[in-house]
Amino acid sequence: MNRSIRSAAVIGSGVMGSGIAAHLANAGISCWLLDIVPGALTPEEEKAGLTLEHPKVRSRLALQAIARLKKTNPAPLYREAFADRIRPGNVEDHWTELAHVDWIIEVVVEHADVKRALLQRIETVWKPGTIVSSNTSGISIEAMSAGCGPELRKHFLGTHFFNPPRYMKLLEVIPGRDTDPEVVRFMTRFCERTLGKGVVTAKDTPNFIANRIGTYGLLVTLREMAANGYTVEEVDAVTGPAMGRPKSATFRTLDLVGLDTFVHVAQNVHDHVADESERRVFEVPSVLRELVARGWIGEKRGQGFYKKVKPAGGGASEIWALDMTTMDYAPAKKPGGAAIEAAKAAKGAAGKLKALLGAGDRYSELAWNVLKRVLVYAAERLGEIADSIVDIDNAMKWGFNWELGPFETWDAIGVTRSVQRMEAEGVVVPAWVKEWLAAGHETFYRREGGRLSAAYGGAYIDVEQRPEHISLKALKERGKTVKSNAGASLIDIGDDVVCLEFHSPNNAIGADILTMVQMGVEEVRRNWRGLVIANEGRHFCVGANLMLMLMEAQDEEWDNIDFMIRQFQGAMMLLKGLEKPVVAAPHSMTLGGGVEACLPADRIVFAAETYFGLVETGVGLIPAGGGCMQMAQRQSELLRAVPDAELQPLINQVFETIAMAKTTTSGHDAARLGYMRSGDTVVMNPDYRVFEAKRHVLELDAGGYVSAPQERIRVVGDTGKAVLKMAAYTMKRGGYISDHDYVIASKLAHVIAGGDVPEGTLVTEQYLLDLEREAFLSLCGEAKTQQRMQHMLATGKPLRN
């Protein structure tokens, strides 16, 4: 069947339901959001003279939920305007609308009887072929749909989003016994491509994959803590980044999730598993029940395992931790020890884990005693909760933000050695793991010739890679590197297209990257159809090498700084003037010089989660790698396209954006700040960025690409500069910016306006680049700018001096 999903209905407007509706809206899907009809008026409704029959009252819950979406932080919507794609309603007046949508998602209370009754009611208006799913976090899909007819059951499955739906990558797809495999295939692809999710297929078992293993891990940690007298702070110091887990570790995670929610999830497994030993593990510890009884359930109530305490004498809040022996709070302490320090010093998740386990102190013992149980439990559940170790690993990485899944972790610490230690300590290792080792295998995963395979049914089976997922790492392993140095590489990504990949520390732009840009331009000019600029780092690029710049400024090596800026500008102009198409594919943090590396491209393919901005004013500088010139040029081009437009308002907006170091809140938000042009696009799944960028290169090439000619840039000149400086002066007089902020803003105004030339003057690109460089050099010599640079390097936060 040729399916598509253009419209949907979400039933249940709570935090999860409204979050799912928001993400559907993010993906361009029109969506109904339905909830029950209230039984009483609010005081505000009474004051407004409304009655219970008024549409605003009857759909109040959905209306309130949509309003909250616009105020929630972090934002569930890519752009606030996307809320217009969500239509508020209620389950009485708008019930028949379910017959006109392509996907119905129930997100009501986690109670099997309620969900079962709702599904039977949905069936009364259900249009055959429409997909129906439940966002349950653990209730049986089979039991939920038992009262429905066979045709609806064919089109029913679980789609378990993780909270918050916009930001969490994991989506567990759970087929029932009667679910049509074609529906499962379609929903998997749809959720990957259109919603940008990482999809795993889970069995219809209690809590599915991620919550089953994650809850188990948290419970065994609590038991290990109680047995050996570890503190809350000690457990979190060990079970966070040292083990390749998030900074929230164990107890901050529980506080974020909510202890009441966690108890419910654990109880669900306890009540529905048959194995008595497993049931005992999932018995909720008395300390958790006590905390829930006291209302100390985490952040939503202000305290759980941690709480913020305001000092009696005033000042910043302090974090206090719970002493579980006395049930009192005290200022949180930072544990130290050989294992913790060794893990901090090690590189990468695997290196940190080995260092942690190898130190031989009590923290090593804590890590090992937790880890061995989790690894064995994951192996025991293979075949029960999922058929594939890949799905189990991905579920934990995408749902709990582990850097390595259980089986990847096992490979990292050594399967043979760790199994021997487990058995020596009396741990029963699953038979299939021992058979796997006996067959001569040493790891659960194997990578050969750039292809990844995983243990499955006694043999290595290739891990399926979507055609849209171009892995630069795998291509390099297959020998597809064309050129490389310490900071960047050129990689053949197929179809006569190469990718410029940054891989310097933190992807900061330095001499190596700029050299590779120059080499890459020459290489592409001679031998390739076009160039993609992308990488697989945690962030695309957070700017130029600030440390090097500060050192040169403190040593007053102005010629060196001048050379570096000229080199940066020159490399960007080479990209801009290349006779072959260039497409940039930024993701995550793309700041300062990272933005300037994208602006020369013919097109930009933004990842949906891209935080993009020229933020140099935060360290006392202005963009000088062509950022000011490029943004001024874009406004001049807009003026040519719309002859009746005025240039000054356009320049005012650019000035405000750069001066205030504004960044986008998403890839879609780039349009609001003037960073997105008509040919630029947003891709929902970040794994598909390189593929999409390559597709754009090929499209431009096939269309007979000709690079844009250099045209002079119309500027607002001295009169426009006066307007910009007056706006900055007004901000200073109002106390909104400091004296040094005004100095920076004045330099920026001079560059953006085109200097001291008459309004309407046409200037060259190089003229504006020279203004950029001169202003940048001047600011580098300012003591307060150097203080800002130093503060950013030391704290990661801007200084407003």
Side-chain angles (χ1 to χ4, degrees), residues 559-633:
D559 287 345
N560 289 350
I561 296 176
D562 182 77
F563 174 77
M564 287 188 283
I565 299 306
R566 288 178 186 273
Q567 188 184 23
F568 196 164
Q569 291 179 342
M572 297 306 101
M573 292 302 288
L574 284 173
L575 287 174
K576 192 169 188 284
L578 181 59
E579 300 87 349
K580 306 288 181 73
V582 178
V583 178
H587 68 282
S588 194
M589 296 294 240
T590 304
L591 305 175
V595 172
E596 291 176 306
C598 295
L599 292 179
D602 298 291
R603 290 182 186 171
I604 301 177
V605 175
F606 294 92
E609 297 298 341
T610 304
Y611 316 111
F612 194 89
L614 294 166
V615 297
E616 285 85 349
T617 59
V619 290
L621 299 167
I622 68 163
C628 293
M629 181 275 290
Q630 293 273 20
M631 294 304 287
Q633 186 173 53

Side-chain angles (χ1 to χ4, degrees), residues 735-781:
Y736 297 105
I737 64 174
S738 70
D739 289 345
H740 192 54
D741 288 325
Y742 179 70
V743 170
I744 300 163
S746 298
K747 299 279 187 184
L748 176 64
H750 182 73
V751 176
I752 290 290
D756 296 318
V757 297
E759 180 182 0
T761 300
L762 296 172
V763 301
T764 64
E765 293 174 344
Q766 189 59 52
Y767 171 80
L768 287 180
L769 290 174
D770 290 341
L771 292 183
E772 276 187 22
R773 192 181 68 259
E774 291 161 6
F776 188 94
L777 276 166
S778 171
L779 286 168
C780 280

Side-chain angles (χ1 to χ4, degrees), residues 59-372:
S59 298
R60 179 211 304 155
L61 296 180
L63 283 163
Q64 289 177 337
I66 294 169
R68 282 194 301 271
L69 291 175
K70 300 176 183 179
K71 300 175 183 176
T72 301
N73 187 26
L77 294 159
Y78 290 149
R79 296 188 69 186
E80 190 177 301
F82 289 177
D84 295 341
R85 297 170 179 171
I86 307 172
R87 299 182 65 182
N90 63 74
V91 295
E92 293 180 17
D93 304 331
H94 305 99
W95 193 249
T96 57
E97 295 294 338
L98 299 184
H100 307 296
V101 300
D102 303 312
W103 182 16
I104 301 167
I105 315 167
E106 74 79 13
V107 199
V108 300
V109 63
E110 282 286 277
H111 195 291
D113 291 341
V114 174
K115 291 180 181 287
R116 190 179 299 114
L118 180 66
L119 282 177
Q120 291 171 15
R121 188 178 172 215
I122 288 171
E123 193 169 23
T124 64
V125 295
W126 177 70
K127 179 181 65 180
T130 300
I131 292 171
V132 183
S133 72
S134 169
N135 184 60
T136 179
S137 60
I139 296 175
S140 168
I141 300 301
E142 197 64 38
M144 203 186 304
S145 61
C148 297
E151 195 59 30
L152 188 141
R153 291 202 305 272
K154 281 176 60 179
H155 295 84
F156 177 67
L157 71 166
T159 49
H160 181 208
F161 290 80
F162 273 60
N163 191 32
R166 167 182 166 178
Y167 298 97
M168 293 302 291
K169 184 172 181 177
L170 179 62
L171 189 147
E172 293 175 320
V173 165
I174 311 102
R177 186 167 52 228
D178 299 322
T179 308
D180 186 342
E182 185 275 327
V183 169
V184 177
R185 284 192 293 271
F186 169 78
M187 286 301 290
T188 297
R189 294 292 281 140
F190 170 80
C191 292
E192 286 176 346
R193 297 176 75 171
T194 306
L195 301 186
K197 293 298 172 189
V199 179
V200 299
T201 303
K203 300 289 190 75
D204 188 11
T205 55
N207 289 20
F208 313 128
I209 303 174
N211 279 341
R212 182 78 167 268
I213 293 175
T215 304
Y216 178 90
L218 287 165
L219 287 169
V220 298
T221 302
L222 280 166
R223 284 175 169 75
E224 182 66 21
M225 173 188 187
N228 292 292
Y230 295 101
T231 66
V232 165
E233 302 100 302
E234 286 177 322
V235 170
D236 275 359
V238 171
T239 60
M243 286 182 70
R245 311 284 171 80
K247 289 181 180 177
S248 55
T250 296
F251 293 112
R252 288 188 191 278
T253 296
L254 283 168
D255 279 355
L256 288 167
V257 168
L259 275 63
D260 54 338
T261 300
F262 178 78
V263 166
H264 171 78
V265 171
Q267 192 67 45
N268 186 58
V269 181
H270 176 273
D271 294 345
H272 292 95
V273 294
D275 183 78
E276 188 56 38
S277 63
E278 187 177 6
R279 281 170 61 87
R280 283 196 296 272
V281 174
F282 282 92
E283 286 177 0
V284 178
S286 58
V287 66
L288 283 184
R289 294 201 183 277
E290 173 65 19
L291 288 168
V292 171
R294 293 187 184 203
W296 299 358
I297 58 175
E299 285 214 346
K300 55 189 171 185
R301 292 287 182 85
Q303 65 186 106
F305 289 101
Y306 295 95
K307 72 173 181 178
K308 285 184 180 179
V309 176
K310 272 277 189 186
S317 295
E318 297 175 351
I319 302 296
W320 285 27
L322 180 69
D323 182 333
M324 294 209 288
T325 58
T326 65
M327 298 301 281
D328 292 325
Y329 290 93
K333 300 173 182 175
K334 263 196 171 180
I340 293 172
E341 296 308 314
K344 283 180 182 176
K347 299 292 185 184
K352 288 180 181 298
L353 194 52
K354 288 178 187 174
L356 179 68
L357 295 174
D361 63 10
R362 63 192 296 267
Y363 296 135
S364 293
E365 286 301 308
L366 170 61
W368 170 250
N369 288 337
V370 169
L371 190 63
K372 69 183 180 184

Side-chain angles (χ1 to χ4, degrees), residues 508-547:
I509 295 178
D512 287 332
I513 288 178
L514 298 178
T515 298
M516 188 53 62
V517 170
Q518 295 165 354
M519 294 169 63
V521 165
E522 288 304 313
E523 174 68 24
V524 171
R525 183 174 285 141
R526 290 194 304 267
N527 300 317
W528 305 86
R529 294 170 69 181
L531 176 69
V532 167
I533 305 173
N535 63 68
E536 294 171 339
R538 182 181 175 194
H539 301 297
F540 177 80
C541 175
V542 294
N545 189 329
L546 190 62
M547 174 66 80

